[in-house]
């Protein structure tokens, strides 16, 4: 879980291009949720001023959260703007991504995309 979190936050901080698997999206979501709860609740119990660290953390991961959501929408073949549609974006986040390459990039689940693309002509 931590590896997926680090991949989103450190390697793809503001990367809105490409695709993100369901596993990448939901592992980041789970890790982010746990960290937010711990920071907000535990530090808030210790001192209200330390509880502000949760707000700083939330602000720091705002861009990667949006970026991984956009890449998740790309994986199902939709524009990143679909994140703005409340229930439909949750349905799309739970839907399996497109098999093979789509207009947003190669399939992140399939490591052998080059083999599948042999003989195809791009117009």
């Amino acid at each position: 879980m931590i590896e997926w979190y680090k991949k989103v936050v450190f390697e793809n901080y503001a990367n809105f291009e490409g695709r993100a698997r369901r596993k990448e999206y939901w592992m980041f979501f789970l890790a982010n949720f746990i960290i937010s709860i711990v920071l907000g609740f535990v530090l808030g119990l210790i001192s209200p001023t330390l509880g502000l660290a949760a707000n700083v953390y939330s602000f720091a991961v705002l861009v990667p959260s949006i970026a991984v959501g956009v890449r998740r929408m790309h994986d199902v073949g939709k524009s990143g703007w679909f994140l703005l549609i409340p229930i439909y974006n949750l349905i799309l986040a739970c839907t399996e991504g497109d098999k093979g390459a789509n207009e947003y990039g190669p399939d992140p689940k399939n490591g052998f995309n080059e083999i599948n693309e042999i003989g195809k002509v791009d117009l």
Side-chain angles (χ1 to χ4, degrees), residues 40-66:
F41 185 72
V42 174
L43 294 179
L45 284 177
I46 296 171
S47 169
T49 56
L50 282 177
L52 293 176
N55 293 337
V56 171
Y57 169 77
S58 295
F59 187 69
V61 295
L62 179 64
V63 172
S65 298
I66 295 170

mmCIF file of all heavy atoms in Angstrom, residues 40-66:
data_model
loop_
_atom_site.group_PDB
_atom_site.id
_atom_site.type_symbol
_atom_site.label_atom_id
_atom_site.label_comp_id
_atom_site.label_asym_id
_atom_site.label_seq_id
_atom_site.Cartn_x
_atom_site.Cartn_y
_atom_site.Cartn_z
ATOM 1 N N GLY A 40 -5.445 14.054 11.823
ATOM 2 C CA GLY A 40 -6.534 14.884 12.326
ATOM 3 C C GLY A 40 -6.979 14.509 13.722
ATOM 4 O O GLY A 40 -7.139 15.361 14.596
ATOM 5 N N PHE A 41 -7.145 13.220 13.976
ATOM 6 C CA PHE A 41 -7.682 12.778 15.255
ATOM 7 C C PHE A 41 -6.628 12.768 16.354
ATOM 8 O O PHE A 41 -6.809 13.370 17.411
ATOM 9 C CB PHE A 41 -8.303 11.386 15.102
ATOM 10 C CG PHE A 41 -8.987 10.893 16.334
ATOM 11 C CD1 PHE A 41 -10.185 11.447 16.747
ATOM 12 C CD2 PHE A 41 -8.425 9.883 17.093
ATOM 13 C CE1 PHE A 41 -10.814 11.005 17.895
ATOM 14 C CE2 PHE A 41 -9.046 9.430 18.237
ATOM 15 C CZ PHE A 41 -10.247 9.987 18.637
ATOM 16 N N VAL A 42 -5.530 12.081 16.096
ATOM 17 C CA VAL A 42 -4.509 11.917 17.130
ATOM 18 C C VAL A 42 -3.852 13.252 17.475
ATOM 19 O O VAL A 42 -3.734 13.620 18.647
ATOM 20 C CB VAL A 42 -3.453 10.871 16.702
ATOM 21 C CG1 VAL A 42 -2.320 10.794 17.693
ATOM 22 C CG2 VAL A 42 -4.102 9.505 16.541
ATOM 23 N N LEU A 43 -3.419 13.977 16.451
ATOM 24 C CA LEU A 43 -2.779 15.257 16.728
ATOM 25 C C LEU A 43 -3.781 16.282 17.267
ATOM 26 O O LEU A 43 -3.416 17.144 18.066
ATOM 27 C CB LEU A 43 -2.084 15.800 15.482
ATOM 28 C CG LEU A 43 -0.888 14.995 14.986
ATOM 29 C CD1 LEU A 43 -0.310 15.610 13.732
ATOM 30 C CD2 LEU A 43 0.171 14.868 16.057
ATOM 31 N N GLY A 44 -5.037 16.171 16.867
ATOM 32 C CA GLY A 44 -6.069 17.053 17.403
ATOM 33 C C GLY A 44 -6.330 16.791 18.874
ATOM 34 O O GLY A 44 -6.663 17.712 19.628
ATOM 35 N N LEU A 45 -6.191 15.541 19.301
ATOM 36 C CA LEU A 45 -6.346 15.217 20.718
ATOM 37 C C LEU A 45 -5.192 15.771 21.546
ATOM 38 O O LEU A 45 -5.377 16.209 22.674
ATOM 39 C CB LEU A 45 -6.428 13.701 20.920
ATOM 40 C CG LEU A 45 -7.744 13.037 20.550
ATOM 41 C CD1 LEU A 45 -7.626 11.531 20.730
ATOM 42 C CD2 LEU A 45 -8.888 13.572 21.375
ATOM 43 N N ILE A 46 -3.997 15.716 20.982
ATOM 44 C CA ILE A 46 -2.823 16.199 21.696
ATOM 45 C C ILE A 46 -2.890 17.714 21.881
ATOM 46 O O ILE A 46 -2.714 18.224 22.973
ATOM 47 C CB ILE A 46 -1.522 15.792 20.959
ATOM 48 C CG1 ILE A 46 -1.402 14.268 20.947
ATOM 49 C CG2 ILE A 46 -0.312 16.431 21.593
ATOM 50 C CD1 ILE A 46 -0.293 13.755 20.068
ATOM 51 N N SER A 47 -3.143 18.401 20.778
ATOM 52 C CA SER A 47 -3.199 19.855 20.830
ATOM 53 C C SER A 47 -3.944 20.366 19.601
ATOM 54 O O SER A 47 -3.671 19.895 18.493
ATOM 55 C CB SER A 47 -1.783 20.426 20.849
ATOM 56 O OG SER A 47 -1.816 21.817 20.646
ATOM 57 N N PRO A 48 -4.846 21.310 19.778
ATOM 58 C CA PRO A 48 -5.562 21.845 18.608
ATOM 59 C C PRO A 48 -4.632 22.490 17.578
ATOM 60 O O PRO A 48 -4.899 22.432 16.381
ATOM 61 C CB PRO A 48 -6.499 22.886 19.201
ATOM 62 C CG PRO A 48 -6.674 22.493 20.622
ATOM 63 C CD PRO A 48 -5.396 21.837 21.026
ATOM 64 N N THR A 49 -3.548 23.063 18.021
ATOM 65 C CA THR A 49 -2.632 23.664 17.054
ATOM 66 C C THR A 49 -1.891 22.593 16.253
ATOM 67 O O THR A 49 -1.581 22.807 15.088
ATOM 68 C CB THR A 49 -1.612 24.584 17.752
ATOM 69 O OG1 THR A 49 -0.921 23.842 18.755
ATOM 70 C CG2 THR A 49 -2.303 25.780 18.367
ATOM 71 N N LEU A 50 -1.623 21.438 16.870
ATOM 72 C CA LEU A 50 -1.011 20.338 16.119
ATOM 73 C C LEU A 50 -2.011 19.743 15.133
ATOM 74 O O LEU A 50 -1.626 19.174 14.112
ATOM 75 C CB LEU A 50 -0.511 19.247 17.063
ATOM 76 C CG LEU A 50 0.799 19.517 17.783
ATOM 77 C CD1 LEU A 50 1.113 18.368 18.732
ATOM 78 C CD2 LEU A 50 1.923 19.704 16.801
ATOM 79 N N GLY A 51 -3.297 19.866 15.449
ATOM 80 C CA GLY A 51 -4.329 19.371 14.540
ATOM 81 C C GLY A 51 -4.313 20.096 13.209
ATOM 82 O O GLY A 51 -4.810 19.586 12.204
ATOM 83 N N LEU A 52 -3.729 21.265 13.177
ATOM 84 C CA LEU A 52 -3.604 22.002 11.923
ATOM 85 C C LEU A 52 -2.659 21.300 10.944
ATOM 86 O O LEU A 52 -2.696 21.571 9.746
ATOM 87 C CB LEU A 52 -3.121 23.422 12.189
ATOM 88 C CG LEU A 52 -4.108 24.321 12.944
ATOM 89 C CD1 LEU A 52 -3.462 25.662 13.237
ATOM 90 C CD2 LEU A 52 -5.388 24.485 12.174
ATOM 91 N N ALA A 53 -1.836 20.407 11.458
ATOM 92 C CA ALA A 53 -0.944 19.646 10.578
ATOM 93 C C ALA A 53 -1.754 18.806 9.597
ATOM 94 O O ALA A 53 -1.319 18.584 8.460
ATOM 95 C CB ALA A 53 -0.020 18.755 11.397
ATOM 96 N N ALA A 54 -2.932 18.375 10.012
ATOM 97 C CA ALA A 54 -3.799 17.622 9.103
ATOM 98 C C ALA A 54 -4.248 18.501 7.945
ATOM 99 O O ALA A 54 -4.336 18.034 6.805
ATOM 100 C CB ALA A 54 -5.009 17.081 9.858
ATOM 101 N N ASN A 55 -4.514 19.774 8.211
ATOM 102 C CA ASN A 55 -4.888 20.691 7.135
ATOM 103 C C ASN A 55 -3.728 20.927 6.182
ATOM 104 O O ASN A 55 -3.917 20.992 4.965
ATOM 105 C CB ASN A 55 -5.376 22.019 7.712
ATOM 106 C CG ASN A 55 -6.664 21.873 8.468
ATOM 107 O OD1 ASN A 55 -7.425 20.932 8.245
ATOM 108 N ND2 ASN A 55 -6.914 22.801 9.374
ATOM 109 N N VAL A 56 -2.533 21.056 6.716
ATOM 110 C CA VAL A 56 -1.345 21.241 5.877
ATOM 111 C C VAL A 56 -1.130 20.008 5.008
ATOM 112 O O VAL A 56 -0.858 20.114 3.809
ATOM 113 C CB VAL A 56 -0.100 21.537 6.746
ATOM 114 C CG1 VAL A 56 1.168 21.523 5.917
ATOM 115 C CG2 VAL A 56 -0.271 22.849 7.481
ATOM 116 N N TYR A 57 -1.285 18.830 5.610
ATOM 117 C CA TYR A 57 -1.144 17.578 4.861
ATOM 118 C C TYR A 57 -2.188 17.502 3.741
ATOM 119 O O TYR A 57 -1.858 17.164 2.606
ATOM 120 C CB TYR A 57 -1.276 16.366 5.783
ATOM 121 C CG TYR A 57 -1.399 15.079 5.018
ATOM 122 C CD1 TYR A 57 -0.284 14.496 4.431
ATOM 123 C CD2 TYR A 57 -2.639 14.458 4.837
ATOM 124 C CE1 TYR A 57 -0.393 13.329 3.704
ATOM 125 C CE2 TYR A 57 -2.753 13.295 4.103
ATOM 126 C CZ TYR A 57 -1.631 12.737 3.535
ATOM 127 O OH TYR A 57 -1.736 11.593 2.798
ATOM 128 N N SER A 58 -3.426 17.804 4.048
ATOM 129 C CA SER A 58 -4.494 17.743 3.044
ATOM 130 C C SER A 58 -4.208 18.684 1.879
ATOM 131 O O SER A 58 -4.450 18.340 0.715
ATOM 132 C CB SER A 58 -5.841 18.093 3.667
ATOM 133 O OG SER A 58 -6.195 17.133 4.621
ATOM 134 N N PHE A 59 -3.713 19.851 2.181
ATOM 135 C CA PHE A 59 -3.366 20.803 1.131
ATOM 136 C C PHE A 59 -2.198 20.284 0.297
ATOM 137 O O PHE A 59 -2.169 20.453 -0.924
ATOM 138 C CB PHE A 59 -3.039 22.168 1.744
ATOM 139 C CG PHE A 59 -2.826 23.240 0.731
ATOM 140 C CD1 PHE A 59 -3.877 23.711 -0.033
ATOM 141 C CD2 PHE A 59 -1.571 23.764 0.535
ATOM 142 C CE1 PHE A 59 -3.673 24.691 -0.989
ATOM 143 C CE2 PHE A 59 -1.359 24.754 -0.414
ATOM 144 C CZ PHE A 59 -2.411 25.219 -1.183
ATOM 145 N N ALA A 60 -1.241 19.623 0.935
ATOM 146 C CA ALA A 60 -0.058 19.117 0.232
ATOM 147 C C ALA A 60 -0.398 17.986 -0.732
ATOM 148 O O ALA A 60 0.242 17.851 -1.778
ATOM 149 C CB ALA A 60 0.996 18.652 1.232
ATOM 150 N N VAL A 61 -1.388 17.164 -0.407
ATOM 151 C CA VAL A 61 -1.739 16.036 -1.281
ATOM 152 C C VAL A 61 -2.950 16.330 -2.166
ATOM 153 O O VAL A 61 -3.459 15.425 -2.817
ATOM 154 C CB VAL A 61 -1.968 14.736 -0.479
ATOM 155 C CG1 VAL A 61 -0.699 14.269 0.188
ATOM 156 C CG2 VAL A 61 -3.100 14.871 0.476
ATOM 157 N N LEU A 62 -3.382 17.572 -2.219
ATOM 158 C CA LEU A 62 -4.521 17.932 -3.062
ATOM 159 C C LEU A 62 -4.209 17.705 -4.540
ATOM 160 O O LEU A 62 -4.990 17.066 -5.258
ATOM 161 C CB LEU A 62 -4.917 19.397 -2.823
ATOM 162 C CG LEU A 62 -6.077 19.909 -3.666
ATOM 163 C CD1 LEU A 62 -7.345 19.155 -3.312
ATOM 164 C CD2 LEU A 62 -6.263 21.393 -3.451
ATOM 165 N N VAL A 63 -3.073 18.182 -5.008
ATOM 166 C CA VAL A 63 -2.713 18.027 -6.423
ATOM 167 C C VAL A 63 -2.539 16.557 -6.805
ATOM 168 O O VAL A 63 -3.105 16.114 -7.810
ATOM 169 C CB VAL A 63 -1.461 18.869 -6.771
ATOM 170 C CG1 VAL A 63 -0.962 18.567 -8.170
ATOM 171 C CG2 VAL A 63 -1.770 20.342 -6.616
ATOM 172 N N PRO A 64 -1.783 15.739 -6.026
ATOM 173 C CA PRO A 64 -1.679 14.331 -6.422
ATOM 174 C C PRO A 64 -3.016 13.594 -6.357
ATOM 175 O O PRO A 64 -3.254 12.679 -7.138
ATOM 176 C CB PRO A 64 -0.678 13.720 -5.451
ATOM 177 C CG PRO A 64 -0.223 14.778 -4.560
ATOM 178 C CD PRO A 64 -0.882 16.050 -4.927
ATOM 179 N N SER A 65 -3.903 14.003 -5.457
ATOM 180 C CA SER A 65 -5.217 13.365 -5.377
ATOM 181 C C SER A 65 -6.023 13.621 -6.644
ATOM 182 O O SER A 65 -6.659 12.708 -7.183
ATOM 183 C CB SER A 65 -6.000 13.896 -4.175
ATOM 184 O OG SER A 65 -5.336 13.600 -2.976
ATOM 185 N N ILE A 66 -5.997 14.845 -7.109
ATOM 186 C CA ILE A 66 -6.710 15.172 -8.344
ATOM 187 C C ILE A 66 -6.041 14.486 -9.532
ATOM 188 O O ILE A 66 -6.716 13.941 -10.414
ATOM 189 C CB ILE A 66 -6.767 16.697 -8.539
ATOM 190 C CG1 ILE A 66 -7.604 17.330 -7.427
ATOM 191 C CG2 ILE A 66 -7.345 17.045 -9.905
ATOM 192 C CD1 ILE A 66 -7.537 18.847 -7.384
#
